[in-house]
Amino acid sequence: MSSSAILISISQWFVIIVGLSFLFFGLIGTLTNLLIFSNRRLRKLPSTQYILIQSVFNILILSFVLLNQILVTGFVWPYFFTFRFACISRSYIAIFSTQTYLYLKCLVTFDAWASTSESVSIRQWSTVRRVRLLILITVMFWSLLSIPYAIWNNNILEKNIWQCFLVGEIFRKYHGYFFVPCLVLFIPLLWLSFFGYHTYKHITRFKRCIRRLVRLQQQFIRMILAQVFVLIISLVPYTAQYTYTTITDNWQKDSQWLAIDSIIVLTSRMCFFFNNAVECYIYICLSSEIRSIFKQLIFNLLPIRRPNVVLPI
């Protein structure tokens, strides 16, 4: 077996092992998120509305986008793309769900900043009514902005393998040079860093005033700030890889180079799903309140419970 074939085989096994792990733990974590944040205590926080809707989109990302990646690139099962409708729906759902999920996460940081502001007018943005309005606007915005990806995607038979590609040179350059670097990486990380930093300043500056703002809200903000770091791990490799792939798209490459490119592409794509897989576990690790709700949830699901003890008076 040639070295390029070995590299391709390694990349496929990497996608299968890491992808299935992310899929399994991610779905369990996301379903746990839905159960935890449906709790009466947490539902009072406006940010919880973002997390609940975000979890729904996360299930869509893991069960459709990631699973599709595992089947097509890991198990080399490209028959999904023999139908043009499958190619169109996959492209539309991938862009719509990932971008909506990402920008709902950005709105969580905005809500943390608004809820800790000393300005009354800014704090009014951290209400359940306004949060639901912002969720609706975000979902509608990305549902419309994702339509071009349904139009400009097509299934193509290349080397006897059906593949799904963006067609049109201009649209490919738009996606590679603007959409991925700006809308996937730069704007979300700038947003998260800006509001995360100023939320931290609010907490430290008004610590005495917001002492009753509560342990739960402080833990909540700490969880949000931790996710900025996780998003950097997820998005930077993917963006760097996609920009490199766009630049070198028309270069002449030998089999060894193509095999190395395959490892880079698949590794960066798995990094992209890292944030989707670990979100719930970040919440559990950084919040004692959420840990207590999680323990109670596990206890309620156990088939064997301690019997009630009746003491005579």
Side-chain angles (χ1 to χ4, degrees), residues 176 180-182 184-186 234-244 268:
V180 173
C182 295
V184 175
L185 178 68
F186 181 72
S234 296
L235 298 181
V236 169
Y238 173 77
T239 305
Q241 170 269 312
Y242 206 96
T243 305
Y244 159 78
S268 66

Side-chain angles (χ1 to χ4, degrees), residues 17 110 208 225 288:
I17 295 169
F110 170 77
R208 293 180 181 177
L225 297 179
S288 58

